[in-house]
Amino acid sequence: MSQDNRARLKQWLASGEIRLQPLSFPQRELWEAAPLPAADVSNNICALIQVRGMLTPQGSEAALQKVVDRQEVLRLSILPGKEQPMQMIRRSAAPALRFHELSSAQGQPEAIEELTREIARQPFDLVQGPLYRAEVFRRSADEHVLVLVIQHAIADGWTLGVFVQDLFASYMQGVRGNHAALPPVPQTYSQWGAAERAFWQPAVLAPRLEFWRAHLAGAPRLWNTAVTGSLQRCVTQVSAELGRSVRELARRNGATLFSTLLTAFQITLSKWTGKDDIVVGTPVANRSTQAARETMGYCSGIVPLRGQIDRTRSFAESLRSVHETTVESFANAIPFAELVRALGEETAPGHNPLFEVRFALQNHPIPDVSVPGLSLQLRMRSTGTARFNLACEINEEGDAMEVAWLFQPNQFSLADIQQVGRMYLDVLAGVCHSPEILTAVLMTTLR
């Protein structure tokens, strides 16, 4: 840092214009345990918000300003440090918003997708901030698309839903002539981080670490290919009929939908890779208190789930075992950065610690909010980052489900992923038809 910048920082600190806070546990994970640098564009989370109603640039900017005032992560940047970076939170900041008028050709879905990709690929300056950008594209008088790109250091999937709710509430206040600030959040992000640091003391961590040392002992890696930072996306669909059958299968076996989908995923991955000992990581929201649910910020954690495939078991037996292991793993969840440090896992560039596959059933709230004359509909483009070789993200759509496969194109071809997607659907259909089928028999049906 230059002498001028040092002097300016001291002045800001003295005046209260900025304050410094330690990184939260999830933020530490980005700096200490991620395969790519924290500033890499692969850590940009992107969402499209479809807006129907009359918007003005002035009204949009005023609405976003209130959200910026309420949510401190929208005023947050990262100050490098000798030992560890620090959060640098500004007392006030202007909204990072641009408003664009589109021609009819530019307003076509394909053109919007290309604009979105361009915006998402632009890096953030972690020191200068802000660590988000919002771009509104007017397609017609009452139809707009808001592209939100936000750095993973200040956001997770839950954050996007909070942003939509706050922006909607703020805009509606403006429409009604109410220029008051939004009510303060019950718990700011820095308060959430402080509460987490206070809770995760050595006495709390110790017994959980003993569980993980035993549970992950000798766990193999699936691949040795480094991640590159670029992901390709392939989507398959679980029909409403099959979705209902999967939920009924879970109910009959006293398991959750997540455990049922995970068991089928582990069997599919075992058939595809030829390996019977598989560790995947799954995200957890880490918002168990009501106070944290209105807070924008990177709160989510990762839990490793180990599956050891026994081909002599029926699917129903495997499901019960996976469900028990999953419940136990969630009960022993700890901050991932602490887990990696305690296990002595070396973090090599391009390689995620402990596992290479992400599996997620997205269950954070994604609100569609509307009143006569205005509606906001959130559609995610990416909820994770390119730290894994392969990711499977499942979103419920009524009885049906969307299965999004995110993969490293330098390692897998689209045909590879289409094959594993078909196999997964075949496993789900097969076990719903015959839950007592032996895993070995089930695997012989997969191509």
Side-chain angles (χ1 to χ4, degrees):
M1 185 180 293
S2 68
Q3 291 286 0
D4 287 346
N5 285 341
R6 288 180 187 277
R8 194 176 296 116
L9 176 61
K10 288 181 180 179
Q11 180 183 350
W12 286 341
L13 286 168
S15 67
E17 176 57 33
I18 65 169
R19 55 191 175 86
L20 300 180
Q21 291 288 321
L23 296 183
S24 67
F25 281 114
Q27 288 174 330
R28 269 184 48 202
E29 177 194 317
L30 281 180
W31 269 264
E32 297 176 16
L36 296 170
D40 193 275
V41 294
S42 67
N43 282 319
N44 292 356
I45 296 173
C46 182
L48 294 185
I49 302 169
Q50 306 287 347
V51 184
R52 292 193 178 275
M54 302 295 290
L55 294 186
T56 65
Q58 297 79 10
S60 300
E61 186 169 333
L64 183 55
Q65 181 69 68
K66 289 185 181 183
V67 182
V68 171
D69 294 342
R70 184 177 201 240
Q71 301 287 353
E72 70 178 20
V73 295
L74 300 181
R75 294 176 272 114
L76 187 155
S77 59
I78 304 295
L79 181 69
K82 289 183 179 178
E83 297 182 2
Q84 191 179 81
M86 298 283 286
Q87 296 182 58
M88 186 163 57
I89 305 165
R90 289 166 171 77
R91 182 168 57 194
S92 61
L97 175 72
R98 294 198 300 179
F99 210 94
H100 309 269
E101 300 279 351
L102 298 181
S103 66
S104 57
Q106 292 172 321
Q108 295 303 308
E110 298 81 6
I112 294 288
E113 288 289 343
E114 181 55 34
L115 285 169
T116 300
R117 284 191 290 269
E118 289 178 10
I119 296 167
R121 284 193 293 257
Q122 297 169 18
F124 289 104
D125 185 327
L126 295 188
V127 179
Q128 295 297 324
L131 303 187
Y132 75 96
R133 61 181 69 96
E135 310 256 353
V136 178
F137 297 98
R138 189 198 297 275
R139 301 177 67 185
S140 66
D142 64 349
E143 188 176 3
H144 305 76
V145 178
L146 191 160
V147 178
L148 174 69
V149 181
I150 189 165
Q151 227 279 344
H152 201 12
I154 65 167
D156 51 23
W158 189 294
T159 290
L160 302 179
V162 176
F163 177 81
V164 168
Q165 290 173 317
D166 279 7
L167 188 64
F168 180 79
S170 179
Y171 199 88
M172 290 311 301
Q173 276 191 355
V175 168
R176 294 165 181 151
N178 181 353
H179 303 296
L182 292 173
V185 291
Q187 184 180 49
T188 65
Y189 184 63
S190 57
Q191 289 170 340
W192 178 87
E196 290 288 291
R197 289 191 296 275
F199 177 77
W200 291 113
Q201 296 299 310
V204 178
L205 286 167
R208 301 189 184 207
L209 286 171
E210 286 305 308
F211 165 82
W212 288 112
R213 289 189 181 101
H215 185 59
L216 295 176
R221 305 298 296 243
L222 287 177
W223 304 292
N224 291 315
T225 308
V227 301
T228 63
S230 61
L231 286 176
Q232 193 167 336
R233 192 170 188 263
C234 173
V235 175
T236 55
Q237 299 289 336
V238 175
S239 68
E241 181 181 4
L242 180 54
R244 287 190 292 269
S245 296
V246 173
R247 292 177 178 87
E248 177 59 20
L249 176 64
R251 188 194 65 77
R252 288 200 311 268
N253 285 275
T256 61
L257 174 62
F258 175 84
S259 294
T260 307
L261 293 168
L262 174 63
T263 307
F265 180 74
Q266 290 174 341
I267 291 171
T268 303
L269 210 55
S270 178
K271 171 68 176 181
W272 192 51
T273 63
K275 309 220 176 137
D276 290 340
D277 192 351
I278 292 169
V279 180
V280 304
T282 195
V284 288
N286 275 348
R287 295 174 187 263
S288 55
T289 65
Q290 186 62 41
R293 294 178 184 178
E294 295 182 43
T295 304
M296 291 181 65
Y298 182 18
C299 300
S300 66
I302 304 174
V303 178
L305 299 174
R306 187 177 188 179
Q308 293 171 296
I309 310 302
D310 184 343
R311 300 186 182 214
T312 67
R313 281 179 174 172
S314 69
F315 180 83
E317 290 173 317
S318 296
L319 172 55
R320 287 189 283 272
S321 174
V322 168
H323 179 69
E324 290 171 5
T325 301
T326 300
V327 169
E328 191 174 19
S329 297
F330 283 152
N332 284 282
I334 63 173
F336 190 66
E338 290 293 303
L339 176 59
V340 172
R341 178 182 291 182
L343 294 181
E345 179 84 5
E346 292 187 13
T347 53
H351 296 271
N352 194 66
L354 303 180
F355 49 84
E356 299 92 350
V357 179
R358 180 180 194 263
F359 179 82
L361 174 62
Q362 304 292 8
N363 58 2
H364 39 68
I366 305 177
D368 291 343
V369 289
S370 63
V371 294
L374 183 66
S375 69
L376 276 68
Q377 187 180 57
L378 173 64
R379 291 296 174 261
M380 296 186 191
R381 280 298 175 272
S382 171
T383 58
T385 53
R387 60 185 300 174
F388 307 112
N389 300 69
L390 177 70
C392 177
E393 298 183 350
I394 302 178
N395 291 281
E396 294 186 76
E397 298 181 339
D399 289 337
M401 289 177 261
E402 177 192 78
V403 184
W405 300 88
L406 305 171
F407 61 97
Q408 297 284 337
N410 67 313
Q411 182 175 1
F412 308 111
S413 69
L414 179 58
D416 290 332
I417 302 305
Q418 289 171 334
Q419 179 195 22
V420 77
R422 287 192 300 269
M423 287 170 56
Y424 187 46
L425 295 181
D426 289 345
V427 170
L428 289 174
V431 299
C432 287
H433 181 264
S434 180
E436 298 302 325
I437 188 172
L438 293 181
T439 300
V441 176
L442 175 61
M443 284 187 169
T444 63
T445 68
L446 302 177
R447 295 289 184 271

